[in-house]
Amino acid sequence: MYDISFMLLPVAAASGWYFATRQFKRKQSGVKLEHSGYFKGLNYLLNEQPDKAIDVFVDLLEVDNETIEIHLALGTLFRQRGEVEKSIRLHQNLIARPQMTSGLRADVLHELGLDYMRAGLLDRAESIFLELEKNSEHKLGSCHQLLSIFQQEREWLAAIDYVVKLEGLENNRQPQVLSQLHCEVAEESLAKNELNKAAGHLKKALKIDPGCVRASVMTAQLFKQNGDFKRALKALLAIREQDIRFIPVFLDLILDCFNNLNQAKQKFNFLADLQAGNDSIFVTRRYIDVLIEQEGKQHALDYLQEKLLQEPKQSLLKLFAQVKADNDSDQDSQFFCQIINKLEEELFSFQCKQCGFTSVDLNWCCPSCKQWAVNEPVVV
Ligand SMILES: [Zn+2]
């Protein structure tokens, strides 16, 4: 951790310069400045006694347009150091002062709102930013904070309202975020068995962002729930145009639709096409399953042997051993197959294109950087 005196050097330098010039001006005009409290407070800070320093600053009577900057800088420093209770005390004290102008009060309120956010006191932060939203200078910042609060509180409809507001304020469309938020509302509706409401939000999600894979998958699940496998399959096959990298992730859902529709030939053709242009072992594995199902094990082994010669990969070797073990009565061969089968299993993995966070689970909102639709499948 940084030494507090090091962290506070900018504040000390700024305030030292400020008081020097201010004192000079006051001397010239013959006014005596009661500034000893500021130096006392700074001394406490530089001697790593922040609690005593806070007491001094809170008791200071003189807070105006110029000295407020020092209070705000101190508050920010405390918040950045994680000492939120100190920054809250400092800001609450400033707000309570009757001589504050409305502009300064709004600045301090904004800082207090950020303190509450940092402390996880979202309700308090929410009321502050709702008030500040009416102030033209703080409108944009408050809308960003409110969006963050409503997302953390999982109040998706309110979050949607704020994305729309921000789109207008910043003249910047956010279709991916909006469609993900509609998917969240749809998830909640599904959990409550409100199927029509869920379908409505999924429709909106796809209208706003036709490339939303999540909305297609959820739409397909909704159709499946109603036994409509034809439309479920259509919704899932749209992923090929949306982002083909997600096809292996939802491959079993797609194959399940083909099975329910008794479309064995179409399933085979779909997998044959897919594996020809796809390096994913999950695709190869499912292709081998249908190859065995429709043309027999020997055919599948021949295919794998040829593929292994072209690209000798552990995942392919393991798949070969699995098929071989079922097809071979030779003891040595069985032994080697068992060993190969113990090699580590590949799992799906996902990586965030914004912050690099990796996970074996697909997160539509990155747990690390909190951005939507940024986690992408890594081919295994
Ligand atoms: Zn991320």
Side-chain angles (χ1 to χ4, degrees):
M1 184 177 295
Y2 289 108
D3 189 287
I4 187 164
S5 52
F6 175 74
M7 299 276 294
L8 287 163
L9 280 176
V11 179
S15 52
W17 169 83
Y18 165 74
F19 284 115
T21 52
R22 194 175 154 102
Q23 194 180 27
F24 177 68
K25 282 180 195 164
R26 296 267 176 130
K27 265 183 185 167
Q28 278 185 323
S29 62
V31 180
K32 191 175 177 284
L33 172 66
E34 291 297 333
H35 64 257
S36 60
Y38 277 94
F39 286 117
K40 200 173 162 193
L42 283 168
N43 263 331
Y44 278 132
L45 281 171
L46 294 169
N47 288 315
E48 294 187 49
Q49 292 176 288
D51 288 313
K52 281 188 181 169
I54 290 264
D55 288 339
V56 171
F57 280 108
V58 164
D59 288 341
L60 282 173
L61 293 174
E62 189 185 355
V63 177
D64 55 27
N65 279 347
E66 289 161 323
T67 51
I68 187 98
E69 296 297 333
I70 293 165
H71 286 258
L72 293 180
L74 273 174
T76 306
L77 270 173
F78 281 128
R79 188 171 61 241
Q80 281 173 350
R81 286 168 51 89
E83 296 176 67
V84 200
E85 71 291 346
K86 291 193 180 77
S87 54
I88 289 177
R89 200 179 146 209
L90 204 74
H91 293 134
Q92 278 176 337
N93 174 266
L94 286 175
I95 283 173
R97 292 178 182 242
Q99 73 268 37
M100 292 283 275
T101 63
S102 63
L104 284 182
R105 189 177 175 277
D107 292 346
V108 180
L109 209 53
H110 180 257
E111 293 299 316
L112 186 61
L114 295 180
D115 294 339
Y116 286 147
M117 291 284 281
R118 180 73 193 263
L121 301 166
L122 297 183
D123 284 356
R124 290 190 197 181
E126 185 183 325
S127 14
I128 284 182
F129 289 119
L130 282 173
E131 186 186 328
L132 280 180
E133 195 195 337
K134 296 168 200 150
N135 176 312
S136 58
E137 275 204 17
H138 288 279
K139 191 178 181 68
L140 185 63
S142 301
C143 285
H144 275 289
Q145 296 302 332
L146 286 164
L147 173 59
S148 166
I149 291 169
F150 291 130
Q151 289 189 85
Q152 288 180 64
E153 290 176 336
R154 304 178 70 81
E155 286 188 33
W156 306 118
L157 289 173
I160 288 172
D161 286 346
Y162 276 90
V163 175
V164 174
K165 268 187 200 179
L166 283 165
E167 281 187 335
L169 287 171
E170 297 181 307
N171 198 19
N172 180 24
R173 287 197 66 230
Q174 301 280 346
Q176 287 193 327
V177 177
L178 266 184
S179 60
Q180 289 290 332
L181 293 174
H182 278 288
C183 287
E184 289 291 347
V185 184
E187 292 257 17
E188 282 188 348
S189 309
L190 278 177
K192 292 182 209 156
N193 215 24
E194 296 171 349
L195 304 188
N196 286 338
K197 196 175 166 191
H201 280 284
L202 292 173
K203 222 172 178 176
K204 272 185 198 161
L206 281 167
K207 197 174 170 203
I208 294 165
D209 176 18
C212 183
V213 171
R214 183 186 187 186
S216 289
V217 174
M218 288 183 67
T219 304
Q221 281 165 333
L222 208 57
F223 283 132
K224 268 186 82 177
Q225 216 168 315
N226 291 328
D228 189 346
F229 291 98
K230 199 173 165 195
R231 289 165 89 182
L233 181 61
K234 196 179 164 207
L236 287 167
L237 292 181
I239 302 174
R240 287 185 297 193
E241 277 75 50
Q242 291 173 321
D243 189 340
I244 199 159
R245 293 170 301 172
F246 279 90
I247 285 280
V249 182
F250 300 106
L251 189 55
D252 285 345
L253 265 179
I254 297 173
L255 300 182
D256 191 40
C257 289
F258 277 119
N259 290 338
N260 276 288
L261 291 164
N262 292 317
Q263 294 183 344
K265 186 74 194 153
Q266 286 92 328
K267 180 172 87 170
F268 181 83
N269 290 341
F270 167 77
L271 278 168
D273 281 352
L274 189 64
Q275 66 86 38
N278 201 306
D279 284 337
S280 165
I281 187 65
F282 296 97
V283 174
T284 311
R285 215 174 269 167
R286 293 298 175 261
Y287 179 62
I288 291 301
D289 288 344
V290 287
L291 216 51
I292 294 169
E293 188 182 287
Q294 297 188 16
E295 297 188 18
K297 268 185 187 162
Q298 194 49 54
H299 202 95
L301 283 170
D302 292 344
Y303 170 84
L304 278 172
Q305 228 163 3
E306 204 175 306
K307 206 167 163 73
L308 264 169
L309 283 170
Q310 284 166 9
E311 38 177 329
K313 291 200 300 196
Q314 181 181 309
S315 52
L316 281 175
L317 183 64
K318 194 171 173 187
L319 187 53
F320 180 82
Q322 280 164 356
V323 182
K324 183 92 175 146
D326 290 346
N327 204 36
D328 209 329
S329 54
D330 178 73
Q331 278 200 342
D332 285 345
S333 175
Q334 285 274 353
F335 171 75
F336 284 118
C337 287
Q338 276 171 16
I339 297 297
I340 293 170
N341 270 322
K342 284 192 175 141
L343 294 173
E344 209 172 302
E345 186 80 45
E346 276 104 334
L347 295 167
F348 268 122
S349 66
F350 301 89
Q351 186 168 35
C352 174
K353 65 178 174 186
Q354 293 286 339
C355 71
F357 173 84
T358 54
S359 165
V360 290
D361 299 314
L362 171 57
N363 296 289
W364 296 111
C365 182
C366 176
S368 172
C369 68
K370 312 287 179 208
Q371 300 292 304
W372 290 96
V374 283
N375 284 11
E376 299 173 328
V378 177
V379 175
V380 289

